[in-house]
Amino acid sequence: MATIRLGDKAPDFTADSSMGTINLYDYLGDSWGILFSHPADFTPVCTTELGTASKFKDEFDKRNVKMLALSVDGAASHAEWIKDINEVQNTTVNFPIIADEDKKVSYLYDMIHPNADNNLTVRSVFIIAPDKSVKLTLTYPASTGRNFYELLRVIDSLQLTANHKVATPANWEHGKDVVVSPAISTADAKEMFSKGVTEVKPYLRMTPDPTA
Ligand code: BEZ
């Protein structure tokens, strides 16, 4: 499978998971989705990530984002591992983990980077919009656990910029000022954004977060 790029249609698949057979498109329905891979079951960093992810599920739900993890072990192994995750992370894993024993989905999504490891997936993240287009890809090495606050932050940006003619500046978080889209003239921006527009430079115009 070629690299999946932003704007591409997320490849559909049907696979076994910790919650039974899952078809990606049926599972997502009209929601946003986040698909994230884990190198293997019973590994320490992944254990912390999945525990953290399950504690963040309410926040993903609030944003209408369905969570879907993947690890290249079977469903029986996932079931045993989930018991450990729940115990040591004091949580309940509350979303499916794809059981990608044959690595079908891992190869489909280019999650195996042979120069990093021939057999295990890297830590990939795909954020998928309701129209099934890929809006964000991230790749972390096995040695670095992901920051789930950053994943929520980028979802806030993606959802805001999908609905308003703005972009979000460095380190932006929900509620902070945003950048007016370069395609909009300052005169039009002043009509469009009732909270006001500050022209810092002709190409850098700020406006309060329209959703805050
Ligand atoms: C981990 O999840 O801890 C891990 C997995 C594979 C390689 C290194 C660390």
Side-chain angles (χ1 to χ4, degrees):
M1 174 72 195
T3 305
I4 295 172
R5 295 179 174 164
L6 302 191
D8 290 355
K9 201 157 182 111
D12 196 15
F13 59 80
T14 299
D16 195 14
S17 86
S18 57
M19 296 185 174
T21 303
I22 281 208
N23 171 264
L24 178 69
Y25 282 17
D26 289 346
Y27 175 68
L28 295 181
D30 294 329
S31 301
W32 288 71
I34 182 166
L35 170 65
F36 49 105
S37 59
H38 296 275
D41 290 7
F42 300 102
T43 48
V45 175
C46 299
T47 299
T48 65
E49 284 193 313
L50 283 167
T52 301
S54 54
K55 289 176 190 164
F56 274 57
K57 182 162 183 296
D58 285 351
E59 292 298 324
F60 286 99
D61 284 347
K62 272 189 216 161
R63 292 161 175 83
N64 190 28
V65 180
K66 294 249 176 87
M67 304 167 77
L68 186 56
L70 174 149
S71 177
V72 293
D73 293 296
S77 167
H78 286 2
E80 289 306 309
W81 185 31
I82 286 168
K83 286 185 204 161
D84 280 4
I85 298 166
N86 291 346
E87 178 197 328
V88 303
Q89 295 285 304
N90 192 24
T91 188
T92 303
V93 173
N94 41 18
F95 51 84
I97 306 174
I98 295 167
D100 197 32
E101 252 183 315
D102 60 5
K103 303 194 174 94
K104 185 181 78 177
V105 179
S106 301
Y107 285 122
L108 185 64
Y109 274 76
D110 197 24
M111 291 165 167
I112 294 181
H113 296 193
N115 291 326
D117 192 295
N118 252 329
N119 295 308
L120 305 179
T121 64
V122 291
R123 297 185 196 279
S124 300
V125 180
F126 296 88
I127 296 179
I128 303 168
D131 68 359
K132 309 294 181 293
S133 64
V134 173
K135 292 297 182 191
L136 177 116
T137 64
L138 283 169
T139 308
Y140 288 66
S143 52
T144 304
R146 283 156 286 204
N147 183 326
F148 284 80
Y149 292 107
E150 167 60 7
L151 298 179
L152 291 176
R153 190 194 75 87
V154 79
I155 287 166
D156 286 342
S157 172
L158 290 169
Q159 295 185 340
L160 175 69
T161 59
N163 293 313
H164 298 271
K165 292 188 186 316
V166 297
T168 59
N171 291 346
W172 175 85
E173 290 170 358
H174 172 71
K176 291 189 176 169
D177 287 357
V178 297
V179 169
V180 174
S181 168
I184 312 289
S185 70
T186 300
D188 286 350
K190 285 182 174 163
E191 299 271 308
M192 195 175 284
F193 298 106
S194 58
K195 294 180 179 173
V197 173
T198 306
E199 190 180 80
V200 182
K201 289 281 179 192
Y203 59 85
L204 173 57
R205 292 81 42 87
M206 305 299 295
T207 188
D209 181 340
T211 63

